[in-house]
């Protein structure tokens, strides 16, 4: 064994060289390979170098510890290396494997263990080579080349995303470089110089301490240039606390100037010469704001003048909003928030009303033409977007030219009735589509994006021709936007990592019949689209809408407009607030603030935040008032704030809902101590307005459900008129409420079982939908069924009634016959609810009706899924043949696999193996492999039992 004891002098030199090499390589990659290096200044460069040296020092300490413990025993040396590296990388695997999507996959355990095992093996190899072959040119070169390669990959691949994974790669590269340099200097290690050793040791300590104690104003600048270093410092130093939060409660100005609703006096009749029957919302996935005019000021590498002649002409006739923001840089957050007019931090499953329901309440048939992402997505919030639409037509991402044909089909089937259509072109999303899926053979991402843009323009021309053919252009308003932007640079491609202008700025223009169009300069957002549509169709903008109608701004460009817009990135860690040209960015993990003048600094390179300027304080106040939960860690530690909050609640008169009350309730929701909730409950009973009581209940219900259910039961029984009771229940129907005042609800619903009261049923049925309904509910629903037979309720009311019937624990007379009669209703929503209720009732030979319905042609995709799920529940393994036959449809493949996973029958193996061979997409392939694994596992367990 060529073992040498650790030598402090040689190791100190190796540490300094490793830190310097880490700094030089990362900066060189930024300057020469990526071409957009951040300017940090001399002091910033020095501190960044000090952090690299501190990391190299930690690697040296690992080597020193292993050498001392091993004492010439190679196996112990390698074991120590492996264990330390394994433990250091374990949080990486845990973080990656516990994601919402990854955790449901069969390979989740592999993701959890792979980083730890891989880093441990790399550490063992590097340590073993240094031990066994110190100074060997081949192994030394391999260590150095491996370290440099990992650093380059760390800088170029998905920067800003997966911070723990980047940290693991960076630390691995640092370890390889340190061992390579130590091996290179192995001969010099034997020389000893006490004076030089002492000097270098003290220098290392000082440099490492300087890297740890980096000032916050310099640390902020690392996020773009060295996000991994910034993340590492955040883990070590912790988040930066915000001081004097309590003082923000004393200001009665809520800081939401310009966030009011549309002036109700604004006459809707002024909007156009001709009445508007239809609205078409076109949301183009991943379309940058500077890919189209008016923000495409000059030709760009991804969008040149002349690439979009049709869209250019269309935009010239429309109202163009130059500064429009999406609520998030990722679809799963931005689109649900857009469609319910919610903030990105609101939960769309518990707040607001779906866009389709909103449109149907205004008398419009709701149609969606979307890619299969919205049908097969793992995220419930994206799948739920299409639930309430009357018709959903799915576009295959591999054949996106079919979108226009599907739109033509939807328009024809509307048969002249007013409609709302959501159309979602997907060609601008990676890997980009230009008549076919583009590949690397078509060039860089920038070139492929441009190809997709040119193809999109030709498809939009075909799309609008459909509406012209049907004579709808004079009666249809078009709103075109995007769900987020797209990074297209050497540094990164894609979206979701941040809240930069590139990722969150989107095009937005509206073509309204009878109006000439024009440019509007104020900052607006996609959160304003739904209120604008409601305004266009003559509806009422509700308090649940967080956005504001753009109609006043369209009619008069001088309309006062000073709104602020809240933004979030894909992992919901970065928060942004835009007001005019100022943007505040806050990282809730580290507590770091940044402020940019995005009017002059589009790429957010110059941080203006100091914490002492009045603009900084104003924007921090606005962010806190909009979303106190983002600063929950600081709020919970501020005892003065809690005492001040109790005092503030006592000063509220409760006469009306205002922004100050909402702000106090938001803070109370973050710090729900007993004293604060007592003060809020006292206001609940003191307030004369029912609207105030309901607002308090809605915002604080999740803090202590039992308390607020008791208060609500008492309130419900105290209401005298049917209008007051209807208002209460309508508000309650917008969230999921556990059972309360059950006898009172049964009594009220039975009283409403009259043909003239049928229009009031919907919110009542929605509130009791999740409740457990025993035998006492049976007479209530029998009375409702008798009333339905005498009148014609709305589709939504009928579907809710069927859903509640299916949840009854006791089966009474007439229920099965009523549900069976709904299978031929003709509306997909009702037939889906009937399918669910039928399966829960479990009638004899119930599968016969499901099979008969499934055999009908041109069934709605969502209805097919419900029928297949029902067959699986009623017939179990006997349904496998029908399921596998339906699974040949690519749009049903993943759904069928999910059902087969629940059955876990060996009879499904041929179909599942066929899916893995045909390659129906990565999602289908992954699920099929997981299903095969689970079925084989169950088969083995059966054999063992025998």
């Amino acid at each position: 064994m060529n073992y040498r004891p650790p030598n402090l002098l040689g190791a100190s030199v190796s540490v300094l060289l490793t830190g310097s090499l880490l700094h030089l390589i990362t900066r060189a990659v930024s300057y020469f390979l990526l071409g957009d290096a951040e300017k940090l200044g001399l002091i910033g460069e020095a501190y960044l170098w000090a952090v690299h040296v501190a990391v190299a020092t930690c690697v040296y300490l690992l080597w020193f510890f292993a050498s001392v413990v091993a004492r010439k025993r190679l196996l112990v040396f390698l074991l120590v290396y492996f264990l330390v590296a394994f433990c250091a990388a374990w949080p990486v695997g845990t973080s990656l494997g516990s994601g919402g999507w990854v955790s449901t996959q069969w390979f989740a355990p592999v993701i959890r263990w792979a980083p730890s095992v891989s880093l441990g093996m790399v550490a063992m190899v590097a340590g073993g080579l240094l031990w066994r072959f110190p100074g060997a040119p081949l192994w030394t070169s391999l260590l150095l080349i491996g370290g440099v390669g990992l650093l380059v990959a760390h800088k170029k691949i998905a920067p800003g995303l997966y911070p723990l994974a980047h940290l693991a790669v960076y630390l691995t590269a640092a370890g390889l470089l340190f061992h390579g340099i130590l091996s290179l200097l192995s001969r010099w290690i034997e020389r000893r110089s006490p004076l030089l050793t002492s000097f270098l040791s003290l220098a290392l300590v000082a440099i490492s301490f300087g890297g740890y104690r980096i000032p916050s104003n310099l640390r902020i600048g690392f996020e773009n240039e060295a996000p991994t270093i910034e993340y590492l410092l955040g883990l070590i130093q912790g988040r930066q606390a915000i001081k004097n939060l309590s003082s923000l409660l004393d200001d009665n100005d809520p800081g939401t100037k310009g966030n009011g609703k549309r002036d109700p006096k604004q006459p809707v009749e002024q909007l156009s010469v001709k009445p508007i029957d239809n609205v078409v919302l076109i949301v183009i996935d991943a379309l940058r704001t500077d890919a189209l005019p008016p923000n495409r000021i000059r030709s760009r590498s991804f969008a040149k003048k002349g690439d979009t002649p049709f869209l250019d002409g269309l935009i010239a006739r429309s109202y163009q909003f130059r500064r429009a923001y999406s609520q998030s840089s990722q679809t799963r957050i931005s689109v649900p928030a857009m469609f319910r007019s919610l903030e990105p931090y609101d939960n769309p499953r518990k707040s607001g009303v779906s866009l389709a329901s909103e449109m149907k309440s205004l008398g419009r048939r709701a149609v969606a033409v979307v890619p299969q992402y919205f049908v097969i997505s793992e995220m419930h919030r994206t799948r739920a977007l299409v639930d309430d639409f009357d018709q959903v037509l799915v576009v295959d991402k591999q054949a996106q030219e079919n979108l226009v044909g599907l739109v033509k089909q939807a328009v024809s089937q509307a048969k002249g009735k007013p409609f709302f259509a959501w159309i979602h072109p997907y060609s601008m999303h990676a890997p980009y589509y230009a008549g076919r899926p583009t590949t690397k053979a078509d060039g860089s991402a920038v070139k492929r994006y441009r190809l997709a843009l040119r193809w999109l323009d030709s498809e939009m021309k075909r799309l609008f021709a459909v509406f012209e053919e049907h004579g709808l252009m004079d009666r249809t308003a078009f709103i075109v936007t995007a769900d987020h932007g797209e990074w297209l640079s050497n540094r990164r491609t894609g979206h979701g990592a941040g809240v930069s202008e590139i990722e969150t700025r989107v095009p937005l223009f509206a073509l309204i019949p009878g109006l000439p169009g024009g440019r509007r300069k104020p900052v607006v957002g996609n959160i304003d689209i739904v209120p604008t549509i409601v305004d266009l169709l003559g509806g009422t903008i509700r308090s649940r809408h967080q956005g504001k109608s753009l109609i006043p701004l369209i009619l008069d460009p001088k309309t006062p407009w000073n709104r602020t817009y809240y933004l979030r990135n894909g992992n919901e860690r970065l928060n942004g607030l835009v007001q005019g040209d100022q943007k505040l960015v806050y990282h809730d993990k580290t507590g770091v603030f940044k402020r940019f003048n995005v009017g002059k600094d589009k790429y957010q390179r110059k941080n203006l935040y100091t914490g002492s300027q009045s603009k900084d304080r104003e924007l921090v106040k606005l962010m806190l008032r909009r979303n106190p939960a983002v600063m929950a860690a600081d709020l919970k530690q501020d005892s003065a704030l809690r005492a001040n909050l109790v005092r503030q609640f006592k000063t509220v008169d409760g006469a009306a809902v205002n922004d100050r009350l909402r702000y106090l309730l938001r803070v109370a929701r973050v710090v729900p101590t007993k004293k604060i909730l007592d003060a809020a409950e006292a206001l609940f009973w003191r307030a004369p307005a029912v609207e105030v009581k309901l607002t308090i209940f809605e915002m604080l219900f999740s803090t202590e459900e039992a308390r607020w259910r008791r208060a609500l039961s008492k309130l419900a029984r105290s209401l005298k008129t049917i209008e007051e009771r209807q208002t209460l229940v309508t508000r309650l129907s917008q969230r999921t409420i556990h059972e309360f005042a059950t006898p009172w609800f049964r009594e009220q619903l039975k009283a409403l079982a009259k043909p003239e009261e049928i229009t009031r049923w919907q919110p009542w049925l929605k509130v009791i939908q999740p409740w457990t309904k025993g035998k006492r509910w049976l007479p209530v629903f029998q009375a409702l069924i008798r009333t339905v037979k005498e009148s014609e309720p709305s589709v939504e009311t009928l579907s809710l009634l069927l859903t509640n019937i299916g949840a009854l624990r006791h089966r009474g007379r007439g229920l099965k016959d009523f549900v069976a009669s709904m299978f031929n209703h003709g509306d997909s929503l009702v037939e889906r609810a009937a399918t669910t209720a039928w399966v829960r009732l479990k009638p004899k030979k119930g599968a016969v009706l499901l099979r008969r319905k499934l055999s009908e042609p041109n069934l709605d995709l969502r209805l097919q899924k419900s029928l297949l799920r029902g067959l699986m529940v009623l017939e179990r393994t006997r349904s496998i043949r029908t399921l596998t036959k339906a699974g040949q449809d690519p749009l049903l493949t993943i759904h069928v696999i999910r059902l087969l996973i629940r059955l876990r029958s060996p009879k499904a193996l041929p179909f599942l193996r066929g899916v893995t061979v045909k390659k129906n997409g990565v999602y289908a392939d992954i699920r099929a492999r997981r299903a095969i694994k689970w079925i084989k596992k169950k088969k083995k367990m059966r054999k063992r039992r025998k």
Side-chain angles (χ1 to χ4, degrees):
M1 294 287 176
N2 294 320
Y3 168 77
R4 291 180 175 83
N7 181 283
L8 195 57
L9 175 60
S12 299
V13 175
S14 298
V15 167
L16 288 172
L17 289 176
T18 301
S20 301
L21 197 57
L22 286 170
H23 185 71
L24 289 173
I25 292 172
T26 52
R27 295 300 278 157
V29 171
S30 295
Y31 273 107
F32 300 111
L33 291 184
L34 302 181
D36 56 353
E38 197 80 18
K39 295 180 181 180
L40 301 177
L42 184 60
I43 297 177
E45 296 281 1
Y47 270 106
L48 184 57
W49 172 75
V51 176
H52 288 306
V53 172
V55 171
T57 303
C58 294
V59 177
Y60 159 67
L61 292 175
L62 166 62
W63 171 78
F64 182 85
F65 173 73
S67 300
V68 171
V69 172
R71 294 186 179 181
K72 299 186 178 182
R73 290 171 292 185
L74 176 61
L75 186 60
V76 177
F77 181 81
L78 296 181
L79 184 60
V80 172
Y81 255 53
F82 179 83
L83 288 176
V84 173
F86 183 92
C87 294
W90 181 252
V92 180
T94 303
S95 174
L96 294 176
S98 60
W101 176 77
V102 175
S103 60
T104 63
Q105 309 307 312
W106 64 269
F107 53 82
V110 178
I111 295 293
R112 293 190 185 97
W113 286 87
S116 298
V117 174
S118 302
L119 189 58
M121 296 300 295
V122 170
M124 286 178 62
V125 171
L129 292 176
L130 180 63
W131 179 295
R132 187 67 182 84
F133 306 104
L138 176 61
W139 305 120
T140 301
S141 301
L142 287 177
L143 289 172
L144 293 173
I145 292 172
V148 173
L150 284 177
L151 274 182
V152 174
H154 152 68
K155 290 290 290 183
K156 290 200 68 174
I157 299 175
L161 297 174
Y162 314 110
L164 277 173
H166 274 277
L167 181 59
V169 173
Y170 169 75
L171 294 177
T172 304
L176 292 177
L177 289 176
F178 171 79
H179 287 83
I181 293 173
L182 196 60
S183 176
L184 192 65
L185 301 177
S186 58
R187 296 181 181 178
W188 189 61
I189 285 179
E190 297 178 354
R191 297 178 56 186
R192 300 180 183 276
S193 174
L195 183 61
L196 184 58
T197 299
S198 301
F199 173 75
L200 289 176
S201 300
L202 291 174
L204 279 180
V205 172
I207 293 170
S208 300
F209 184 76
Y212 168 72
R213 300 295 297 175
I214 181 172
S216 59
N217 61 324
L218 291 175
R219 174 181 157 187
I220 289 171
F222 289 172
E223 185 166 329
N224 289 333
E225 176 55 36
T228 302
I229 296 297
E230 199 276 334
Y231 181 76
L232 178 62
L233 289 172
L235 292 177
I236 297 172
Q237 297 181 357
R239 63 190 312 281
Q240 300 179 17
I242 307 171
K243 300 179 180 179
N244 300 323
L245 284 174
S246 178
S247 63
L248 298 179
L249 287 174
D250 297 327
D251 184 2
N252 291 330
D253 175 17
T256 54
K257 183 179 179 182
N259 282 316
K261 307 306 174 192
R262 178 181 64 88
D263 182 359
K265 296 179 182 178
Q266 175 65 50
V268 179
E269 289 74 19
Q270 292 182 15
L271 298 183
S272 65
V273 177
K274 299 179 180 180
I276 295 174
D277 293 337
N278 317 303
V279 174
V280 176
L281 174 61
I282 303 175
V283 183
I284 304 172
D285 212 293
L287 180 62
R288 291 175 56 125
T289 184
D290 51 0
L292 297 174
N295 290 325
R296 189 185 64 201
I297 300 174
R298 59 182 184 278
S299 291
R300 309 294 300 273
S301 56
F302 55 83
K304 297 184 181 297
K305 187 177 180 180
D307 284 348
T308 55
F310 175 76
L311 285 173
D312 292 356
L314 183 69
I315 293 171
R317 307 194 309 270
S318 306
Y319 288 97
Q320 313 149 36
F321 298 91
R322 297 199 62 170
R323 291 196 58 198
Y325 285 87
S326 173
Q327 286 96 308
S328 175
S329 55
Q330 199 163 70
T331 303
R332 68 178 183 86
I333 301 174
S334 66
V335 177
M338 181 203 313
F339 279 14
R340 289 176 180 255
S341 191
L342 297 175
E343 299 289 1
Y345 48 79
D346 289 328
N347 187 342
R349 297 179 66 178
K350 296 182 179 180
S351 305
V353 174
S354 69
L355 177 58
S357 298
E358 191 99 56
M359 295 300 102
K360 288 192 282 188
S361 69
L362 294 172
R364 266 62 183 182
R365 173 181 168 84
V367 179
V369 183
V370 296
Q372 64 256 51
Y373 167 77
F374 293 98
V375 180
I376 66 174
S377 173
E378 287 298 318
M379 290 78 172
H380 180 273
R381 63 167 68 184
T382 51
R383 288 205 312 273
L385 289 170
V386 298
D387 281 351
D388 294 329
F389 277 84
D390 296 307
Q391 184 181 24
V392 177
L393 301 173
V394 182
V395 183
D396 188 348
K397 289 193 292 185
Q398 305 300 315
Q400 295 185 39
E401 60 274 5
N402 295 335
L403 180 140
V404 176
L406 293 175
V407 171
K408 188 172 183 178
Q409 175 185 334
V411 172
S412 301
Q413 291 177 354
K415 298 178 180 179
K417 296 180 180 179
F419 65 85
F420 166 81
W422 164 34
I423 304 172
H424 199 103
Y426 204 71
S427 62
M428 303 306 298
H429 193 286
Y432 314 117
Y433 193 90
R436 57 174 176 78
T438 62
T439 63
K440 291 185 178 180
D442 295 306
S444 65
V446 172
K447 292 181 179 179
R448 286 182 280 138
Y449 192 87
R450 186 185 176 202
L451 287 174
L453 180 65
R454 296 168 69 178
W455 184 81
L456 172 71
D457 184 74
S458 63
E459 290 300 291
M460 292 294 285
K461 184 176 181 179
R462 292 178 56 212
L463 177 66
F464 276 81
V466 170
F467 294 97
E468 289 180 356
E469 290 173 9
H470 287 78
L472 297 174
M473 292 299 293
D474 292 339
R475 295 182 290 120
T476 304
F478 295 87
I479 298 177
V480 183
T481 186
D483 55 350
H484 51 71
E486 182 86 346
W487 266 104
L488 293 169
S489 69
N490 293 327
R491 181 178 290 274
R492 71 173 76 160
T493 57
H495 52 267
V499 290
S500 64
E501 295 289 283
I502 302 297
E503 293 171 283
T504 56
R505 285 275 298 276
V506 292
L508 176 60
F509 55 93
L511 180 65
I512 303 175
L515 293 180
R519 292 187 179 183
R520 300 295 181 263
K521 295 182 180 180
V523 177
V524 299
N526 280 357
I527 196 174
D528 302 321
I529 288 178
V530 169
T532 303
I533 295 174
V534 172
D535 214 353
L536 275 170
L537 298 178
T540 302
I541 299 173
R542 307 292 182 182
S543 59
R544 62 174 177 262
H545 295 127
Q546 301 299 313
K548 183 180 179 181
S549 172
L550 299 174
I551 296 305
L553 194 58
I554 286 174
L555 295 176
D556 182 6
K558 297 180 180 180
T559 299
W561 194 275
N562 188 30
R563 283 176 50 75
T564 57
Y565 291 88
Y566 200 100
L567 317 172
R568 262 193 170 177
N569 74 331
N571 64 13
E572 302 183 73
R573 287 295 186 188
L574 274 177
N575 300 267
L577 190 76
V578 180
Q579 185 184 54
D581 287 339
Q582 300 296 315
K583 177 189 277 189
L584 183 73
V585 178
Y586 175 68
H587 197 301
D588 63 0
K589 184 74 173 178
T590 60
V592 173
F593 282 102
K594 292 193 284 188
R595 179 170 63 86
F596 306 97
N597 185 338
V598 291
K600 300 178 180 178
D601 183 14
K602 176 182 176 182
Y603 294 99
Q604 299 179 191
R605 298 191 182 281
K606 187 177 181 180
N607 177 35
L608 304 174
Y609 185 85
T610 63
S612 58
Q613 298 182 42
S614 60
K615 195 63 181 178
D616 295 337
R617 190 69 178 165
E618 178 187 350
L619 291 175
V620 170
K621 180 193 299 184
L622 285 171
M623 179 172 283
L624 174 65
R625 291 182 181 278
R626 293 286 289 276
N627 183 23
V630 79
M631 304 174 193
D634 299 294
L635 292 171
K636 290 176 181 178
Q637 295 175 4
D638 196 330
S639 58
L641 178 137
R642 294 195 293 273
N644 195 5
L645 186 59
V646 173
R647 290 195 298 269
Q648 293 291 327
F649 268 121
K650 293 178 180 179
T651 63
V652 177
D653 58 9
V657 178
N658 53 39
D659 289 327
R660 178 169 176 252
L661 174 61
R662 290 182 182 277
Y663 169 52
L664 294 177
L665 293 173
R666 290 191 194 107
V667 179
R669 188 166 53 191
V670 176
V671 282
T673 64
K674 186 178 183 303
K675 289 184 177 179
I676 292 174
L677 291 181
D678 288 344
E681 187 175 5
L683 174 60
F684 179 89
W685 294 117
R686 187 175 72 248
V690 175
E691 183 75 12
V692 173
K693 296 179 187 291
L694 291 175
T695 301
I696 295 172
F697 169 80
E698 285 180 345
M699 299 188 71
L700 297 184
F701 174 72
S702 60
T703 60
E704 194 177 324
E705 293 188 12
R707 173 199 292 259
W708 297 109
R709 278 204 302 272
R710 288 193 301 269
L712 194 61
S713 298
K714 190 175 178 181
L715 173 64
R717 292 187 177 94
S718 68
L719 299 177
K720 302 300 182 183
T721 66
I722 184 63
E723 285 74 19
E724 290 179 334
R725 294 193 288 270
Q726 191 72 19
T727 300
L728 170 67
V729 175
T730 301
R731 291 287 294 271
L732 296 180
S733 67
Q734 296 175 18
R735 62 168 52 247
T736 301
I737 307 293
H738 294 294
E739 294 182 47
F740 74 96
T742 306
W744 181 80
F745 263 89
R746 285 199 297 264
E747 178 187 338
Q748 296 300 318
L749 261 176
K750 203 165 185 179
L752 290 174
K754 302 174 184 176
E756 61 271 16
E757 300 288 355
I758 204 166
T759 56
R760 298 182 183 269
W761 289 9
Q762 190 170 331
W764 294 83
L765 293 172
K766 195 169 183 179
V767 170
I768 66 170
Q769 184 176 340
W771 294 7
T772 301
K773 289 177 272 293
K775 189 175 182 179
R776 294 182 179 180
W777 281 98
L778 189 57
V780 176
F781 284 98
Q782 288 175 334
L784 295 178
I785 290 174
R786 288 194 296 270
T787 306
V788 167
K789 292 178 179 179
E790 300 173 8
S791 56
E792 294 184 4
S794 67
V795 168
E796 291 77 13
T797 301
L798 198 52
S799 65
L800 284 170
L801 177 61
L802 288 166
T803 303
N804 280 282
I805 289 173
L808 282 171
R809 289 192 170 185
H810 293 268
R811 320 303 183 196
R813 289 184 178 181
L815 295 183
K816 293 179 183 179
D817 293 339
F818 174 72
V819 174
S821 67
M822 292 296 107
F823 273 86
N824 297 318
H825 182 273
D827 187 272
S828 172
L829 184 62
V830 174
E831 291 177 353
R832 276 185 285 144
T835 302
T836 304
W838 185 254
V839 173
R840 289 178 177 175
L841 292 173
K842 295 182 179 179
K844 292 181 180 180
K845 299 182 180 180
V848 175
L849 185 58
L850 299 185
R851 288 183 179 276
R852 189 185 305 152
K853 187 67 182 177
L854 195 59
S855 64
E856 295 180 6
N858 302 322
L859 285 180
D860 181 82
L861 181 65
R862 295 162 297 170
L863 178 57
Q864 291 183 63
K865 288 184 175 183
S866 296
L867 292 168
L868 292 172
R869 189 185 303 111
L871 272 178
M872 185 275 298
V873 172
L874 295 177
E875 292 192 332
R876 305 302 294 173
T877 55
R878 288 177 296 162
S879 66
I880 289 179
R881 186 175 179 181
T882 304
L883 293 177
T884 53
K885 183 179 179 181
Q888 302 300 325
D889 185 344
L891 298 178
L892 291 171
T893 301
I894 290 181
H895 180 70
V896 169
I897 293 173
R898 288 195 188 109
L899 299 178
L900 294 176
I901 288 175
R902 293 174 62 181
L903 293 175
R904 299 194 184 185
S905 171
K907 295 179 181 179
L909 287 175
F911 168 77
L912 295 171
R913 292 192 181 107
V915 172
T916 61
V917 173
K918 292 179 182 178
K919 301 293 183 184
N920 290 5
V922 62
Y923 294 128
D925 185 64
I926 289 171
R927 273 162 190 73
R929 293 181 187 278
R930 180 175 61 175
I932 292 170
K933 180 181 177 181
W934 285 356
I935 291 171
K936 288 182 176 179
K937 185 177 179 180
K938 186 176 181 180
K939 195 175 179 181
K940 288 180 181 178
M941 291 176 65
R942 286 176 178 173
K943 287 182 178 180
R944 288 175 186 174
R945 290 172 185 171
K946 292 180 180 179

